[in-house]
């Protein structure tokens, strides 16, 4: 029996994913729907080539060229860029074309077989081919005998058809080269929707030829031209990614009112908003001229953005301008509209007609859901899983973003645990579940600009991508033991790095900038174990009111949202407390000693720079944690109970250590506390 | 008396550079010709703007925009990009235009005054303005109260008019984006000549419309189109940099013979050369058709490259093809030419007429110097300072490259010590010294490709740039105490980083690639203390014959040419041996312990990858050095003489540790040896 037939049988026997039966860990993120590993590997050397058969299109040729360029970067080897015939290595067969404009729910499946005879990638459409090429790239690794891919048989397809990332370019403008890198990263982790939040109170970022004052007055000169947008959409299409535009109305649109104050519910004049939050200005929804304006604008934008879906935002209207406008109040009474939600529902009804007339399917945030709105709209749930489940029960299609708010600085494990079909959605009927299209990570940019965009998105978004791609039983199993997820996240992070994403390299550059030199060691010791404050506490704890013009050049802007060093330290502490070994003790002692001694090295630098001065307390507290931890380690090592009053005083210090300092959290404090208390973490 | 008049008087009093009288170290590289520091600083905040007065041209507007972008990257702050009037901050005055095509010896001087009233930059020409803007950028630093530039008065101009960097794109093709980055770096350190070594045995890299088989047959498809070259020259011109093309003839041009074998002295056919070294193929210099070909080609290239100077190479012709060709031998006899050098001199005479006819000044490597050659040619000296001095005495203008061969992996201090007017040139008359135009760092690319180009050029080339810019007495003084040079090199390295150069970031990416993960700590401990083998020993010690197709993906390709960690360790050892302090002892112990313990952590990784396996001995030897050093430290700390036989056995081990392993040198071995011997380094 050939290895290949053996593999096929194995696949039949293990119809779904079978990571537990795999002989060794598969370094893939997202994990495939089903796979079976073989024994052995296929060498990747300078003779490696890729051949295309079946359906052909320029996008596939481009994908192979990018594949080879990435393979070159990952291996340092050169590969022939064009293969005319008799190619060995990876043979790619695509059955037929995908839709000219990528549609929701197209076939994205592929199968990949790697055996001694070579590698074969089969897909129904170019979308599957693109995914399969990425999977192949991620399988390449240096082995004792050379670069190679393991023998494996993969049958893969996504769990959800809508796997998105939203980037807000309204609050901070993000240049196109950063966004192109973002698409590169999305392709690598098989995300397929780029949701472009293009306008908000702080900026309108698209060139309109119909209403040029939108961008000339509302963007500080920071907007995308229509030809740039067309090129960007092509770039996304080449990577199997749809582009959904969002124009947020009737609130979150102050930037539109600067050039066109007549749209608003109060006379103006308006200025580009520099602050964050929910603002009063809102479109006057009683004026016919508002709808005429939106009809013309959305018509122009519907032609610019080919995707079927068109996002109208619709979130966070506080209604204050409506309440203060007598004409709107009169309208409300005459139409027997109960409240402002009713006003917005009226507006959305009108808007739906406009969007539909331009051939698009309307989508919006939770708030657009109202009893009268037709079932054709798609609801993006930011408020919670309950609202998503409710919508699905009422017959609406929807996607989950609550749980995927990557701007809140939560760890990957937390986002990873969120599932579009868990919690309230778990009890949906099969038919209702079908209405849950997937989810979207949301990158709101109050504290994100071009320089730190990558580090705010990656690598955490790769975990969300896996949640949306891989079978639920696979991801749920990983949630119960996040070790594998984090190991694979580290690998994909390196691969994203080699694609040119800057989440790792910019960290070093930021520390160099803060240090004014390449001598960053002491600063890095501190920076490695802190994380930015979570959720919306950055606003609440700001030392001075931050605006969109405030430089993002502090330590809190440089450090990663998630500290690997702190997570590792925490795991080592738990390992020590459950089964101490000399190695664990030595490792912990080394870390604690480094922290204890670091403050003396770092203080001169902190005092030399206005940007670092605020981190003085952070550094001294880390030193204190080092001292405390070392004492606790001594007691533990000598099996000596720590004296009660020592423990008492340390715990008080630890409470302080856990409080934010310069908007940063010392993530090692809880583990040091466990050392003091001598108890492992409760799961 | 105002601060300004005080400064002016100070300047008059200290006509040349006065680093020793400066109140604190100036973080500039190159150091200015003359400067006087004041007390105080000018704040750089979000209101900082730049105003241009006097002579205006688009290049100056572009320079200000780049200046503000760089300032943004360096500070994380946004600055208004356009200043129409009433600008405060930096006021820039340019007196008059420079030449449309930049010429050798144009005025590059500028003065920069920074006082409480603001900053003023004055220059005769845009070239001086460009330099002054760079100097201003380098002065910006984070201070306890904010970003600022110190009060200072600078009167600056270059010592040599020709301050170049040669990049060989023949042996390994270097893409234009890498070369553009190189120009950015050159601008930052005030280099003004980019010498483009465009053809060699391994490739002809320019599109010729007259002889298209040059690039179609001789480049593997890796060449620059003429429009790309024009754009690149514009990019250089915007940065005050001249572009000199080199087409190496009559040797080092096998790549030309593939499409045009009739040019060669032996029938062919020829193939793109994949090996390194001096090869036999050479142009048949007896054929009139050779001169007709070169006349047409050089005519085309002379039109493409606007600079006055045109480099014809002329180095390393071994003459074997000439010796074997009866027609050439007959010609030699009939013309009474003594030897092959004579044949080449004949060729150069003919070539000079061609180059001159196309309006250019011919330059070439040492070998073109022959008794008959007119004094108009410029000699680039790669053989040594003697040949440069000889040429100057004979009336030729020349530049020094010997001493600036950055491909040989020597430390910055060694290049820095080389001076175009030292050694044999020191005794030249003033008139003869005038003929020494400056120097050029040479980046030959046998072991350099796009990925490691930056780390092979930077930051070491900044030290060469200072040697060529700053007054000799300043640089000579720094040679005697390289501490300041290395401190400033570190600062400029960070600044180059923030321009987008990858000498630091690519190192991390390479280690990640070698590790297959972001977990690079143990590998970095080893990589930080090694350097590639020096001079031409890489060829001699290669584990397998390297060709131009050999991947540059080994540890030797990733590590920096110069180990900062080893230099610092060495300095600490000397400090300990001359005046021990507890801090020095603790620091040394920490380093030695890390090295001793690193091997155990690293070995599993080394064994897992074919690329790292070769570094096994390197790692175990570093561990041994750690152990040896710790023992030596114990003896020293306890004032105990080390036992003779222990010393003996350690010294034998140390001899082995100093030998190259996997083409890498453990740079900490000599300092550990000094610890064992208990004696400081001899200067």
């Amino acid at each position: 029996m050939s290895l290949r037939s053996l593999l096929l049988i194995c696949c039949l026997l293990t119809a779904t994913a079978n990571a537990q039966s795999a002989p060794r860990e598969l370094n893939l993120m997202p994990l495939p729907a089903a796979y079976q590993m073989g024994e052995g590997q296929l060498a990747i050397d300078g003779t490696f080539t890729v051949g295309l058969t079946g359906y052909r299109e320029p996008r596939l040729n481009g994908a192979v060229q990018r594949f080879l360029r990435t393979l070159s970067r990952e291996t340092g080897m050169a590969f022939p860029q064009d293969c005319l015939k008799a190619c060995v290595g990876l043979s790619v067969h695509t059955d037929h074309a995908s839709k000219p404009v990528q549609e929701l729910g197209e076939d994205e499946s592929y199968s990949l077989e790697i055996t001694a005879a070579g590698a074969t990638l089969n897909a129904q459409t170019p979308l599957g081919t693109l995914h399969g090429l990425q999977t192949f790239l991620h399988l390449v690794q240096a082995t004792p005998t050379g670069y190679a891919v393991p023998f494996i048989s993969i049958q893969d397809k996504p769990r959800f058809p809508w796997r998105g990332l939203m980037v807000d370019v309204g609050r901070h403008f993000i240049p196109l080269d950063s966004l192109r890198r973002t698409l590169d990263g999305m392709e690598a982790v098989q995300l397929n929707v780029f949701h472009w939040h293009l306008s908000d109170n702080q900026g309108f970022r698209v060139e309109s030829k119909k209403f040029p004052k939108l961008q000339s007055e509302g963007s500080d000169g920071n907007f995308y031209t229509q030809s740039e947008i067309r090129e960007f959409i092509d770039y996304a299409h080449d990577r199997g990614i749809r582009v959904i535009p969002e124009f947020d109305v009737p609130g979150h649109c102050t930037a539109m009112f600067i050039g066109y104050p007549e749209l608003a519910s109060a006379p103006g004049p308006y200025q580009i908003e520099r602050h964050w939050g929910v603002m009063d200005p809102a479109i006057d929804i009683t004026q016919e001229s508002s709808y005429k304006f939106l009809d013309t604008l959305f018509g122009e934008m519907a032609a610019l953005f080919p995707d079927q879906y068109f996002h109208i935002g619709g979130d966070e209207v506080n209604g204050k301008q409506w309440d203060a406008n007598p004409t709107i109040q009169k309208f409300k009474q005459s139409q027997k509209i109960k409240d402002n939600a009713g006003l917005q529902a009226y507006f959305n009804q009108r808007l739906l007609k406009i969007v539909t007339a331009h051939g698009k399917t309307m989508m919006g945030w939770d708030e657009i859901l109202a009893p009268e709105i037709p079932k054709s709209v798609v609801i993006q749930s930011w408020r919670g899983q309950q609202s998503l489940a409710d919508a699905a029960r009422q017959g609406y299609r929807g996607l989950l973003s609550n749980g995927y708010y990557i701007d809140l600085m939560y760890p990957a494990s937390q986002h990873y645990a969120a599932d579009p079909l868990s919690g309230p959605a778990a009890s949906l009927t099969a038919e209702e579940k079908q209405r849950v299209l997937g989810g979207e990570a949301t990158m709101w940019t109050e504290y994100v600009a071009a320089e730190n965009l990558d580090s705010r998105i990656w690598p955490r978004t790769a975990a969300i991508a896996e949640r949306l791609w891989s079978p639920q039983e696979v991801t749920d199993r990983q949630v119960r033991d996040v070790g594998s997820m984090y190991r694979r996240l580290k690998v994909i992070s390196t691969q994203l790095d080699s694609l040119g994403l800057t989440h790792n390299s910019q960290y070093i550059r930021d520390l160099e900038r803060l240090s004014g030199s390449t001598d960053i060691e002491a600063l890095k010791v501190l920076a490695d174990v802190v994380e930015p404050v979570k959720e919306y506490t950055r606003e609440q704890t700001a030392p001075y009111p931050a605006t969109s013009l405030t430089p993002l050049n502090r330590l809190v802007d440089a450090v990663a949202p998630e500290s690997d060093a702190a997570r590792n330290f925490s795991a080592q502490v738990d390992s020590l407390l459950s089964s101490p070994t000399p190695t664990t003790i030595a490792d912990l002692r080394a870390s604690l000693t480094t922290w204890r001694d670091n403050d003396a090295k770092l203080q001169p630098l902190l005092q030399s720079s206005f940007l670092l001065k605020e981190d003085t307390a952070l550094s001294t507290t880390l030193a204190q944690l080092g001292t405390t931890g070392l004492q606790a380690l001594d007691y533990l090592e000598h099996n000596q109970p720590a004296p009660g009053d020592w423990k008492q005083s340390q715990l008080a210090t630890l409470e302080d250590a856990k409080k934010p300092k310069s908007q940063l959290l010392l993530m090692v404090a809880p583990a040091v506390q466990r050392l003091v208390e001598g108890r492992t973490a409760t799961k």
Side-chain angles (χ1 to χ4, degrees), chain A:
Chain A
M1 189 188 281
S2 75
L3 177 63
R4 184 141 181 191
S5 17
L6 179 70
L7 286 174
L8 284 174
I9 290 176
C10 288
C11 285
L12 294 172
L13 290 173
T14 58
T16 60
N18 42 19
Q20 68 216 114
S21 70
R24 57 184 185 277
E25 187 164 80
L26 194 57
N27 275 336
L28 283 181
M29 181 168 265
L31 282 169
Y35 66 94
Q36 181 64 43
M37 298 197 75
E39 281 299 326
Q41 59 184 33
L42 179 69
I44 307 285
D45 58 27
T47 70
F48 178 83
T49 50
V50 180
L52 290 174
T53 61
Y55 170 73
R56 299 290 293 265
E57 62 177 27
R59 172 163 67 166
L60 288 170
N61 296 338
V64 169
Q65 276 170 29
R66 278 186 291 119
F67 172 93
L68 291 171
R69 274 202 302 274
T70 305
L71 193 59
S72 281
R73 267 196 306 265
E74 284 188 2
T75 61
M77 298 193 294
F79 300 97
Q81 288 264 345
D82 37 13
C83 167
L84 299 176
K85 53 178 181 177
C87 297
V88 288
L90 175 62
S91 165
V92 180
H93 184 86
T94 310
D95 190 72
H96 59 267
S98 56
K99 299 289 164 63
V101 174
Q102 191 173 329
E103 291 181 9
L104 175 68
E106 284 198 70
D107 192 314
E108 299 182 76
S109 69
Y110 69 93
S111 68
L112 179 62
E113 305 282 336
I114 303 175
T115 68
T120 318
L121 168 62
N122 277 292
Q124 290 298 304
T125 74
L127 302 174
T129 305
L130 291 170
H131 295 315
L133 288 172
Q134 293 300 318
T135 298
F136 188 96
L137 279 175
H138 299 335
L139 287 170
V140 176
Q141 53 191 22
T143 74
T145 54
Y147 278 108
V149 283
F151 291 168
I152 194 169
S153 168
I154 293 177
Q155 303 291 330
D156 203 7
K157 62 176 184 188
R159 178 177 167 213
F160 291 108
W162 192 300
R163 306 177 307 282
L165 168 64
M166 187 216 77
V167 177
D168 166 16
V169 299
R171 287 173 176 76
H172 273 107
F173 179 71
I174 309 283
L176 283 170
D177 59 343
S178 301
L179 295 182
R180 279 189 289 266
R181 280 205 304 266
T182 304
L183 293 177
D184 293 342
M186 290 176 67
E187 182 189 28
V189 299
Q190 330 262 33
L191 290 172
N192 68 351
V193 178
F194 179 80
H195 168 175
W196 210 348
H197 184 84
L198 283 160
S199 68
D200 215 298
N201 298 321
Q202 294 80 7
F204 187 94
R205 306 301 186 187
V206 181
E207 175 193 28
S208 167
K209 295 185 201 267
K210 305 280 188 186
F211 302 108
K213 283 191 286 181
L214 285 173
Q215 71 272 13
S216 66
E217 305 283 315
S219 77
D220 297 306
N222 289 321
F223 66 91
Y224 315 105
T225 66
Q226 296 202 354
S227 78
E228 284 175 335
I229 287 172
R230 273 187 285 269
E231 273 176 35
F232 183 77
I233 292 170
D234 287 346
Y235 191 95
H237 179 259
D238 281 348
R239 284 151 183 80
I241 297 169
R242 299 161 52 207
V243 176
I244 313 284
E246 177 186 351
F247 298 94
D248 207 343
V249 285
H252 278 294
C253 57
T254 305
M256 293 172 68
F257 300 156
I258 302 148
Y260 303 93
E262 62 274 20
L263 279 176
S265 305
Y270 291 89
Q271 287 191 315
I272 290 182
E273 183 59 59
R274 304 294 179 193
H275 296 87
W276 311 130
V278 177
M279 305 297 168
D280 301 346
I283 289 174
D284 184 342
I285 60 158
T286 66
Q287 304 176 144
E288 281 313 303
S289 57
S290 298
Y291 297 103
K292 190 148 178 279
F293 184 100
L294 291 174
D295 185 31
T296 307
L297 176 64
F298 284 5
E300 184 185 16
M301 295 303 141
L304 180 59
F305 292 91
D307 198 88
Q308 177 60 36
Y309 290 77
F310 195 92
H311 203 301
I312 56 92
D315 55 323
E316 297 186 322
V317 183
N318 71 12
K320 286 191 188 166
Q321 273 199 354
W322 291 347
D323 293 341
N325 181 318
T327 315
I328 297 177
Q329 288 309 306
K330 205 172 297 170
F331 177 85
K332 193 169 144 190
Q333 284 155 16
S334 72
Q335 300 285 317
K336 302 202 167 54
I337 294 175
K338 207 174 59 193
D339 52 16
N340 286 333
L343 282 175
Q344 195 176 347
Y346 166 82
F347 172 75
N348 285 335
Q349 292 273 13
R350 299 280 311 257
L351 213 55
L352 179 63
K353 288 204 186 83
I354 290 172
V355 171
T356 309
H358 291 296
K360 301 290 184 179
T361 304
M362 188 167 100
M363 56 187 300
W365 301 99
D366 275 329
E367 289 93 327
I368 71 161
L369 186 60
E372 306 81 17
I373 201 95
K375 302 289 185 268
S376 61
V377 303
V378 174
I379 309 296
Q380 182 163 14
S381 179
W382 68 277
R383 288 181 169 168
Q385 290 183 306
Q386 187 66 51
S387 67
L388 180 67
D390 291 348
R393 251 183 222 107
Q394 293 171 47
Y396 294 95
R397 294 177 303 158
L399 24 133
L400 185 67
S401 274
N402 181 285
Y404 304 137
Y405 264 47
I406 50 178
D407 58 316
L408 304 186
M409 300 287 167
Y410 286 121
S413 56
Q414 185 163 333
H415 296 305
Y416 191 77
D419 192 277
L421 292 178
S422 71
S427 56
L428 294 175
T429 66
E431 193 191 346
E432 288 161 355
K433 280 184 175 169
Q434 280 294 319
R435 295 186 191 127
V436 176
L437 304 173
E440 272 188 10
T442 50
M443 180 77 280
W444 301 106
T445 55
E446 280 90 344
Y447 299 101
V448 179
E451 280 193 357
N452 63 353
L453 178 77
D454 292 10
S455 77
R456 272 51 194 139
I457 297 180
W458 308 109
R460 292 178 304 152
T461 297
I464 298 173
E466 172 160 294
R467 169 55 74 178
L468 298 173
W469 177 281
S470 307
Q472 186 173 1
E473 57 275 23
V474 172
T475 39
D476 281 351
R477 186 166 59 229
Q478 298 263 330
V479 167
R480 293 191 292 276
D481 173 14
V482 291
S484 157
M485 186 278 281
Y486 273 115
R487 274 191 298 278
R488 292 178 298 108
L489 193 65
K490 210 177 176 79
V491 173
I492 192 84
S493 177
T494 316
Q495 288 162 342
L496 292 167
D497 233 19
S498 83
L499 284 178
L501 285 155
T502 62
H503 51 299
N504 292 323
S505 59
Q506 186 63 41
Y507 175 51
I508 301 301
R509 285 190 182 173
D510 284 349
L511 296 185
E512 288 180 354
R513 181 167 70 195
L514 286 163
S515 303
S517 111
T518 49
D519 242 338
I520 58 167
E521 210 176 320
L523 184 59
K524 189 165 179 293
V525 166
L526 178 63
D528 276 352
V529 296
V530 297
E531 292 180 7
V533 287
K534 307 299 161 189
E535 219 176 18
Y536 296 106
T537 45
R538 176 136 179 202
E539 273 90 348
Q540 296 150 17
T541 59
Y544 43 81
T547 74
S548 58
L549 300 175
T550 305
L552 297 176
N553 57 4
R554 296 162 59 211
L555 190 57
V556 65
D557 301 305
V559 302
E562 186 167 9
S563 162
D564 290 342
R567 194 178 57 253
N568 294 340
F569 178 77
S570 174
Q572 281 181 317
V573 165
D574 287 341
S575 147
L576 174 91
L577 292 171
S578 59
S579 54
T581 68
T583 313
T584 319
I585 293 173
D587 283 353
L588 286 173
R589 194 176 296 283
S591 298
L592 291 162
T593 307
T594 303
W595 299 337
R596 184 196 61 194
D597 298 345
N598 194 61
D599 185 50
K601 293 177 191 160
L602 188 54
Q603 282 299 340
L605 184 65
L606 299 184
Q607 299 314 315
S608 75
S609 164
F610 74 112
L611 286 171
L612 290 173
K613 246 192 310 192
E614 62 172 348
D615 303 311
T616 303
L618 202 68
S619 176
T620 52
T621 308
L622 180 62
Q624 180 57 47
L625 287 175
T627 305
T628 300
L630 285 168
Q631 288 168 342
L633 206 57
D634 281 341
Y635 290 125
L636 287 165
E637 205 181 356
H638 300 106
N639 267 323
Q640 225 181 327
D645 50 350
W646 174 83
K647 224 164 158 171
Q648 213 57 39
S649 75
Q650 298 307 316
L651 290 175
T653 311
L654 281 161
E655 279 316 302
D656 174 69
K658 284 190 274 182
K659 289 186 190 132
K661 289 169 185 63
S662 46
Q663 308 197 283
L664 289 164
L665 295 165
L666 276 164
M667 300 306 291
V668 294
V672 172
Q673 178 164 351
R674 293 204 299 281
L675 272 183
V676 170
E677 294 174 343
R679 54 161 187 80
T680 53
T682 48
K683 298 262 168 163

